[in-house]
């Protein structure tokens, strides 16, 4: 059963009607081709209208869509010979983060990403893409290896946030994330981060320090979920829609705030409509990033990374 | 007179609030310990650096109280005091809230940075103030911390940070989150140059602050009984559907789980920091 989002309903209704008329034309003597053509024109216009004017809250729904492609989907589209490696060598193997090596354009790279499931069973296995400390430590282990063997690091960000659980706190969720931020700041290989779904707070940032940060058009990146913000600011989680609008969490917002480098367009109706097309669009941007970043000396790379982050923020002087 | 009026006591006069009457009663002469409820003269509590003389409970210190408690007299030089918050997302009511806290605390933002001497040892310094928007981190807090770390790097000074923060500041959205990144990159540069960083977590140190600079000192310390953690207790309880123990996310809890180097009583703080600074003194040839 395909998940239908609230704002898409007029499109789906019209599509159903067209299908009905087509069936009717096929089954009966009456020819409705003219009406069908008219409706199809209207459908195209309606799609342009709706998908071309998505509100922040619509994009939140899109970013959370159950069929939205995940890290592993993109890995299989973009890379060859992907070999997944497991475990943090300290506690366990967190399935909410996948990591491994692969070829990108015939050169070895390290690939890491949050991994959520598309159905309940897979989501339970993946803990809904919400990592524990061992996930971040697994990621760090692979990034250190990338540094050692001089491979670029590519991360895919797609998480509601780091898991808020007792065991996660006991094993040092804060430290695990903090350590990744600090170490990612210092690796002398290019790091490209791509937000493909939800970029939820510190849990997202734990894989998100890099030289280039890109976001898919309908992904979000925020300090807290809209629901969380609404309940803290206005003591009412149902004001999430309002929070989503106030907090500037869409790819275009972040581009405007100079937090990200590029917005990667999505096919009409979202990434899940055509994963191949989506992967191609990511490929264009990723290749460009890797090519550009590979030109820098390690000193230049680190200096540029510092410049990038140094300039994020807004304040005034008295 | 109606019958029912016999049973209601009517006030024959009205009380007009008088400014003088307020001054007559000395406000805040006494202070009650939040933990053991024992009442002390405020002066006595202040002398004890807001640590309850009876039960040892550590009440919060403002940034300046903290600085006074640690630095040798007249050695403190403040950095970047003139940076204050704008409203980058045009968030409703944000500017008013910040202004109110500026007035309340006398600070321009939730962190004071600078350098000074601790028993003759020079060090760079950042002290967060939980009275300013819960010590939350927005652009200014991130900027001031990053700058002070950079200054420490350039002047080859150690860097000590006292954290007190509810986490990232909602009203600055993603820019707040990115301050975790900014400070981390600054600290990495500082650390790679051989700089010594000491983090002292005080009540409360949670969310984005706990998941960035607070946890990446060469030494991570905490004051007794401080709340330290990534996620909020309520969120965790709702997620895992069980009640958490009372000491969950306290300094002592973290210590037991290997997340801290040491818990330091406020009265021992200055001496211990002095010793550590001495032990890391770079030889000058």
């Amino acid at each position: 059963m395909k998940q239908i989002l609230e704002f898409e309903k007029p499109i789906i209704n019209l599509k159903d009607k067209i299908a009905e008329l087509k069936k009717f034309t096929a089954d009966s003597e009456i020819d409705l081709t003219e009406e069908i053509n008219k409706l199809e024109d209207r459908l195209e216009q309606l799609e342009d209208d709706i998908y071309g004017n998505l509100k922040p809250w619509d994009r939140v729904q899109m970013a959370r869509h159950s069929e939205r492609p995940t890290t592993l989907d993109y890995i299989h589209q973009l890379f060859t010979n992907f070999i997944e490696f497991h475990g943090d060598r300290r506690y366990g193997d967190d399935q909410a983060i996948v990591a491994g090596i692969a070829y990108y354009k015939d050169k070895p790279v390290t690939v890491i990403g949050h991994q959520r499931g598309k159905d309940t069973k897979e989501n339970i296995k993946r803990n809904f893409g919400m990592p524990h400390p061992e996930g971040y430590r697994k990621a760090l282990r692979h990034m250190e290896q990338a540094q050692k063997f001089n491979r670029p690091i590519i991360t895919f960000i797609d998480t509601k946030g780091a898991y808020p659980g007792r065991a996660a706190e006991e094993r040092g969720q804060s430290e695990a994330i903090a350590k990744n931020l600090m170490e990612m700041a210092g690796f002398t290989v290019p790091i490209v981060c791509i937000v493909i779904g939800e970029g939820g707070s510190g849990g997202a940032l734990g894989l998100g320090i890099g030289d280039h940060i890109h976001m898919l058009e309908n992904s979000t990146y925020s300090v807290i979920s809209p629901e969380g913000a609404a309940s803290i600011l206005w003591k009412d989680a149902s004001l999430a829609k309002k929070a989503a609008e106030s907090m500037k969490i869409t790819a275009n917002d972040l581009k405007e705030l100079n937090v990200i480098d590029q917005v990667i367009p999505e096919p009409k109706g979202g990434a899940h409509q055509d994963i191949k097309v989506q992967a191609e669009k990511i490929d264009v941007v990723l290749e460009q990033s890797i090519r550009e970043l590979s030109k820098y000396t390690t000193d230049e790379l680190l200096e540029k990374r510092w410049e990038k982050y140094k300039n994020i923020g807004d304040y005034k002087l008295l | 007179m109606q019958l029912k009026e016999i049973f209601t006591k009517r006030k024959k006069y009205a009380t007009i609030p008088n400014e003088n009457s307020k001054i007559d009663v000395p406000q805040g002469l006494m202070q009650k310990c939040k933990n053991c409820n024992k009442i002390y003269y405020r002066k006595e509590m202040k002398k004890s650096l807001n640590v309850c003389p009876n039960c040892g409970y550590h009440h919060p210190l403002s940034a300046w109280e903290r600085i006074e408690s640690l630095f040798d007299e007249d050695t403190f030089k403040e950095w970047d005091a003139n940076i204050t918050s704008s409203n980058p997302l045009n968030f409703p009511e944000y500017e008013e809230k910040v202004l109110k806290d500026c007035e309340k605390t006398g600070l321009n933002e939730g962190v004071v940075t600078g350098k000074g001497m601790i028993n003759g040892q020079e060090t760079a310094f950042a002290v967060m103030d939980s009275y300013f928007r819960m010590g939350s981190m927005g652009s200014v807090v991130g900027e001031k911390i990053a700058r002070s770390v950079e200054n420490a790097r350039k002047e080859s000074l150690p860097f000590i940070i006292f954290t007190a923060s509810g986490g990232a500041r909602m009203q600055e959205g993603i820019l707040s989150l990115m301050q975790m990144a900014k400070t981390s990159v600054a600290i990495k540069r500082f650390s790679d140059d051989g700089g010594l960083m000491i983090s002292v977590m005080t009540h409360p140190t949670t969310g984005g602050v706990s998941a960035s600079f607070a946890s990446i000192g060469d030494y991570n310390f905490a004051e007794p009984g401080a709340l330290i953690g990534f996620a909020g207790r309520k969120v965790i309880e709702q997620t895992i559907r069980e009640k958490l123990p009372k000491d969950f996310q306290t300094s002592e809890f973290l210590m037991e789980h290997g997340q801290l180097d040491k818990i330091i009583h406020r009265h021992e703080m200055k001496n211990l920091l002095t010793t550590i600074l001495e032990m890391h003194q770079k030889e000058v040839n």
Side-chain angles (χ1 to χ4, degrees):
Chain A
M1 174 75 189
K2 234 177 146 64
Q3 189 194 352
I4 297 164
L5 304 175
E6 191 61 38
F7 62 87
E8 292 180 310
K9 279 189 179 153
I11 296 171
I12 306 301
N13 288 344
L14 194 55
K15 272 187 180 165
D16 287 350
K17 198 172 272 174
I18 292 169
E20 213 175 282
L21 289 183
K22 276 185 176 162
K23 190 166 179 285
F24 188 79
T25 303
D27 292 351
S28 68
E29 301 286 298
I30 307 157
D31 183 19
L32 294 171
T33 315
E34 204 175 312
E35 277 80 3
I36 291 170
N37 286 343
K38 254 190 219 164
L39 285 182
E40 278 180 337
D41 283 350
R42 227 179 91 198
L43 176 67
E44 210 183 306
Q45 209 184 351
L46 189 67
E47 281 184 328
D48 286 348
D49 268 7
I50 290 179
Y51 291 131
N53 294 295
L54 290 182
K55 301 275 174 300
W57 185 245
D58 301 334
R59 294 195 201 270
V60 170
Q61 305 308 312
M62 201 77 110
R64 292 174 178 170
H65 200 290
S66 62
E67 291 139 50
R68 192 166 173 85
T70 64
T71 293
L72 282 174
D73 290 330
Y74 290 125
I75 287 178
H76 294 310
Q77 294 286 330
L78 290 163
F79 307 104
T80 53
N81 290 76
F82 174 67
I83 311 167
E84 188 183 346
F85 299 128
H86 296 272
D88 70 341
R89 300 290 187 277
R90 281 164 175 75
Y91 179 83
D93 183 38
D94 190 340
Q95 302 275 322
I97 287 182
V98 293
I101 54 175
Y103 282 116
Y104 181 63
K105 315 278 176 205
D106 299 325
K107 288 208 174 105
V109 292
T110 288
V111 192
I112 300 166
H114 299 102
Q115 183 63 40
R116 57 180 177 79
K118 288 184 180 173
D119 53 43
T120 310
K121 196 177 153 209
E122 211 190 334
N123 260 321
I124 287 167
K125 176 180 161 195
R126 301 289 183 185
N127 199 33
F128 295 82
M130 301 169 90
H132 281 73
E134 49 273 22
Y136 294 103
R137 289 173 185 144
K138 169 164 79 173
L140 181 61
R141 189 169 76 80
H142 287 95
M143 291 190 275
E144 282 166 347
Q145 220 168 60
Q147 166 82 15
K148 177 176 174 185
F149 296 110
N150 201 24
R151 309 187 270 262
I153 299 166
I154 296 155
T155 71
F156 292 97
I157 292 168
D158 187 16
T159 183
K160 288 181 189 309
Y163 187 64
R166 178 180 181 158
E169 297 287 326
E170 288 174 347
R171 296 200 286 273
Q173 189 74 290
S174 285
E175 191 272 348
I177 293 171
K179 180 90 176 157
N180 278 16
L181 305 187
M182 183 171 166
E183 294 307 326
M184 289 181 91
F187 292 131
T188 53
V189 295
I191 306 174
V192 181
C193 311
I194 304 169
V195 185
I196 56 171
E198 274 185 282
S201 196
L205 196 64
L207 299 183
I209 309 291
D211 302 296
H212 283 178
I213 318 291
H214 307 305
M215 278 177 80
L216 297 197
E217 190 186 344
N218 294 316
S219 61
T220 60
Y221 200 171
S222 64
V223 67
I224 185 171
S225 70
E227 289 84 354
S231 71
I232 290 177
L233 291 167
W234 304 301
K235 315 272 177 254
D236 185 356
S238 67
L239 294 173
K241 199 173 163 182
K242 181 182 165 192
E245 268 148 33
S246 312
M247 291 201 3
K248 307 240 162 79
I249 60 175
T250 68
N252 287 324
D253 289 332
L254 267 72
K255 173 78 182 133
E256 233 166 82
L257 289 165
N258 272 327
V259 171
I260 61 162
D261 293 272
Q262 280 194 60
V263 178
I264 302 173
E266 293 190 19
K268 206 196 280 183
H272 59 286
Q273 303 288 354
D274 195 332
I275 178 182
K276 273 208 157 58
V277 170
Q278 187 61 69
E280 280 162 20
K281 288 178 193 287
I282 294 175
D283 191 38
V284 173
V285 176
L286 181 60
E287 190 185 12
Q288 198 186 331
S289 278
I290 297 283
R291 202 185 320 121
E292 185 194 324
L293 295 170
S294 303
K295 282 191 291 201
Y296 299 131
T297 65
T298 55
D299 283 353
E300 281 170 344
L301 199 66
L302 290 187
E303 200 56 37
K304 276 181 187 292
R305 201 176 292 158
W306 164 235
E307 286 292 327
K308 176 189 184 68
Y309 284 100
K310 197 170 87 170
N311 292 324
I312 300 179
D314 195 88
Y315 49 83
K316 55 188 183 192
L317 298 176
L318 290 173
Chain B
M1 198 200 273
Q2 285 193 340
L3 189 62
K4 67 175 180 191
E5 285 175 43
I6 298 170
F7 300 102
T8 55
K9 205 176 173 183
R10 275 196 298 174
K11 241 184 171 178
K12 294 270 166 50
Y13 54 88
T15 316
I16 299 163
N18 178 323
E19 277 306 306
N20 290 333
S21 67
K22 271 188 200 159
I23 296 162
D24 281 349
V25 183
Q27 282 284 315
L29 183 67
M30 310 297 281
Q31 188 180 346
K32 191 160 90 173
C33 172
K34 266 187 195 152
N35 186 47
C36 70
N37 287 334
K38 229 175 147 178
I39 295 172
Y40 289 94
Y41 278 112
R42 190 171 281 273
K43 252 201 287 187
E44 199 180 343
M45 195 67 117
K46 207 175 162 156
K47 209 178 132 198
S48 165
L49 300 174
N50 280 356
V51 177
C52 174
N54 180 47
C55 70
Y57 182 83
H58 284 49
H59 297 91
L61 284 177
S62 73
W64 282 108
E65 284 172 328
R66 172 85 59 191
I67 290 161
E68 275 167 29
S69 79
L70 292 167
F71 281 85
D72 307 343
E73 234 182 304
D74 296 328
T75 64
F76 187 76
K77 181 177 174 288
E78 190 179 358
W79 287 328
D80 303 309
N82 62 335
I83 310 182
T84 190
S85 288
S86 59
N87 187 1
L89 307 190
N90 290 317
F91 209 91
E93 293 159 53
Y94 178 45
E95 278 149 311
E96 289 84 346
K97 282 181 176 161
V98 168
L99 263 173
K100 215 176 116 192
D101 279 13
C102 287
E103 280 163 25
K104 190 177 82 182
T105 59
L107 302 172
N108 290 330
E109 248 299 336
V111 68
V112 177
T113 61
K115 65 174 175 177
M117 302 274 198
I118 297 179
N119 284 325
Q121 306 283 319
E122 193 175 31
T123 183
F125 206 87
V127 191
M128 302 182 83
D129 195 312
S130 63
Y131 295 106
F132 196 105
R133 305 246 38 85
M134 292 265 292
S136 61
M137 172 163 64
S139 295
V140 178
V141 170
E143 179 70 19
K144 284 179 81 170
I145 291 172
R147 284 193 194 188
S148 58
V149 171
E150 263 295 283
N151 288 346
R153 186 179 72 84
K154 285 178 189 156
E155 297 187 27
S156 295
L157 294 173
F159 179 71
I160 304 178
I161 188 159
F162 281 82
T163 61
S165 177
R169 191 170 298 172
M170 305 293 121
Q171 292 91 340
E172 290 188 32
I174 192 75
L175 295 179
S176 296
L177 187 74
M178 289 298 151
Q179 301 312 308
M180 294 167 67
K182 183 198 277 185
T183 50
S184 300
V185 182
I187 290 166
K188 179 66 181 167
R189 283 160 65 85
F190 170 73
S191 180
D192 282 355
D193 273 11
L196 162 70
M197 171 168 162
I198 300 172
S199 166
V200 185
M201 295 175 241
T202 72
H203 180 77
T205 296
T206 58
V209 166
S210 136
S212 60
F213 49 82
S215 299
I216 47 175
D218 293 297
Y219 306 102
N220 295 334
F221 300 135
E223 286 193 330
L227 170 72
I228 303 165
F230 177 69
R233 169 186 282 262
K234 264 191 205 154
V235 176
I236 299 172
E237 283 184 337
Q238 280 164 10
T239 308
I240 63 175
R241 294 196 187 85
E242 62 178 88
K243 203 97 186 113
L244 293 162
K246 196 166 171 270
D247 74 337
F248 185 67
Q249 292 182 324
T250 57
S251 308
E252 293 71 20
F253 176 91
L254 261 76
M255 185 79 186
E256 195 184 312
H257 288 91
Q259 306 296 335
L260 285 178
D261 283 295
K262 194 172 170 58
I263 295 172
I264 304 174
H265 191 285
R266 198 173 285 163
H267 294 168
E268 313 284 319
M269 191 68 73
K270 186 166 179 168
N271 280 339
L272 208 99
L273 290 178
T274 307
T275 309
I276 293 173
L277 288 174
E278 276 168 2
M279 287 173 135
H280 290 78
Q281 227 175 28
K282 286 174 190 163
E283 301 243 349
V284 185
N285 293 319

